[in-house]
Amino acid sequence: MGLGGGLGLLAGFVALLVVGTYVAAANLAGGATGAAVGLAKGAVPSAYQGLVQKWGNLCPALNPALLAAQLYQESGWKPDAQSHAAAQGIAQFIPGTWAAHGIDGDGDGDRDVWDPKDAIPSAASYDCKLASYVKDAPGDKTDNMLAAYNAGAYAVIKYGGVPPYEETKNYVSTIRKLEQSFAAKKGRVDPSKQAAGAIYFAQQKLGTPYLWGGNGTPEQGGRFDCSGLTKAAYKSVGIELPRVANDQWNSGPHPKRDELLPGDLVFFGTDLNNSRSIDHVGIYVGGGHMIDAPYTGAKIRFDPIDTPKYFGATRPTAG
């Protein structure tokens, strides 16, 4: 059989899978999502995984996945990060807050905001202090802790829970959503209802030449790179993804290889223990294949996912 015939059969197979997405979704919808018991594979850089796992269990309102989500949101795991507002280090403490709440996490006799071995324990300790300040406020204890982190404990107490500040509500929502992507799950992951639409979008781009940095704009001739394609595919169904592949990893929970459904994003990297090494992403279509924009000189096409660089998968979620 020639290559053209093979692609035609595969395209037909994918069309059936798009319809079948909802059948598979219905079969899994009844499965309960397990509680977080650890960190998802490669979600946290290996240098910090032990710290996050240990200190993320410091108090009941906190867990390792939540602590990871905060650190990722604050600095993107950059220990030398510094903001225009003078926030410093991997946990982005401002000097006054560090002076009051920084701890010597590694027991070496100093408190160094630039040292993750101090900054990560300090972030957990600060979270738990805030949780204790607002423990009597109505509502979810963890949401209240996050709101206190963003708006101050007084605001949470005053309003009896998450205060009605748009910035604070968005912060709480963002961290709780990111928490899902960092957590290892016991049960199956609920499927995305938008998966079929995202696949349909990607199918229409088959044969389009790759463009590094491509977002599919008219000025770029409608061309994409790998993460530009996945971002556009999910934008077409109302889900906004980050622009680059290793950030898209944190856009939802992580199904295992034997739990993949059409529409899941599949990722590839150079270090299978570090999500920051991810350098490629595609949209899973079933049967061990994805639609992806491979590299300069190639066209958007079907490719197998089972390679030595296969890192894992994410099921994008709305919100």
Side-chain angles (χ1 to χ4, degrees):
M1 178 183 292
L3 179 61
L7 286 177
L9 287 175
L10 187 54
F13 173 62
V14 172
L16 291 174
L17 285 170
V18 172
V19 175
T21 297
Y22 294 111
V23 176
N27 290 337
L28 287 180
T33 301
V37 295
L39 296 168
K41 172 192 171 186
V44 174
S46 55
Y48 311 128
Q49 186 164 352
L51 284 167
V52 173
Q53 185 67 52
K54 174 184 175 181
W55 289 92
N57 289 299
L58 187 61
C59 65
L62 189 63
N63 66 66
L66 191 81
L67 179 59
Q70 284 186 289
L71 294 166
Y72 171 79
Q73 179 73 6
E74 293 295 332
S75 69
W77 303 113
K78 297 174 183 175
D80 58 351
Q82 184 160 6
S83 78
H84 64 278
Q88 300 172 332
I90 197 169
Q92 289 291 278
F93 277 98
I94 60 174
T97 305
W98 179 258
H101 299 286
I103 66 173
D104 178 12
D106 57 1
D108 65 355
D110 69 358
R111 300 182 303 146
D112 185 356
V113 72
W114 302 106
D115 184 353
K117 294 178 182 177
D118 289 338
I120 291 174
S122 296
S125 174
Y126 184 47
D127 273 341
C128 291
K129 286 179 183 176
L130 292 172
S132 71
Y133 298 157
V134 299
K135 63 182 175 63
D136 294 326
D140 183 89
K141 303 301 183 186
T142 298
D143 286 354
N144 288 343
M145 177 188 75
L146 293 172
Y149 182 93
N150 180 264
Y154 173 76
V156 175
I157 295 169
K158 175 183 176 181
Y159 287 101
V162 178
Y165 309 147
E166 202 62 33
E167 177 187 333
T168 302
K169 291 191 293 183
N170 287 339
Y171 178 78
V172 173
S173 174
T174 296
I175 298 301
R176 295 310 297 261
K177 178 176 179 288
L178 279 172
E179 178 189 5
Q180 299 177 49
S181 76
F182 284 99
K185 302 290 184 180
K186 287 182 179 177
R188 290 181 177 269
V189 182
D190 290 337
S192 167
K193 295 179 182 178
Q194 292 89 353
I199 293 174
Y200 178 79
F201 179 95
Q203 279 184 284
Q204 307 313 301
K205 308 303 176 184
L206 287 168
T208 303
Y210 175 97
L211 176 67
W212 187 84
N215 294 306
T217 65
E219 295 79 12
Q220 296 171 328
R223 294 181 291 167
F224 298 90
D225 64 9
C226 65
S227 56
L229 176 64
T230 52
K231 178 176 173 62
Y234 268 94
K235 185 176 182 179
S236 75
V237 293
I239 294 179
E240 287 289 344
L241 298 179
R243 176 58 182 85
V244 298
N246 55 26
D247 285 340
Q248 289 181 4
W249 170 256
N250 291 307
S251 61
H254 305 296
K256 298 177 182 178
R257 174 64 181 85
D258 62 359
E259 295 178 333
L260 287 181
L261 289 176
D264 290 342
L265 299 183
V266 283
F267 295 87
F268 306 83
T270 55
D271 180 350
L272 301 187
N273 294 309
N274 185 356
S275 66
R276 305 313 290 173
S277 78
I278 288 172
D279 56 15
H280 190 58
V281 60
I283 299 179
Y284 187 62
V285 296
H289 284 78
M290 64 180 170
I291 296 175
D292 68 324
Y295 47 77
T296 300
K299 297 179 180 180
I300 294 174
R301 67 192 190 191
F302 297 105
D303 274 321
I305 70 166
D306 291 315
T307 76
K309 290 183 66 178
Y310 178 74
F311 187 92
T314 293
R315 189 159 293 153
T317 56

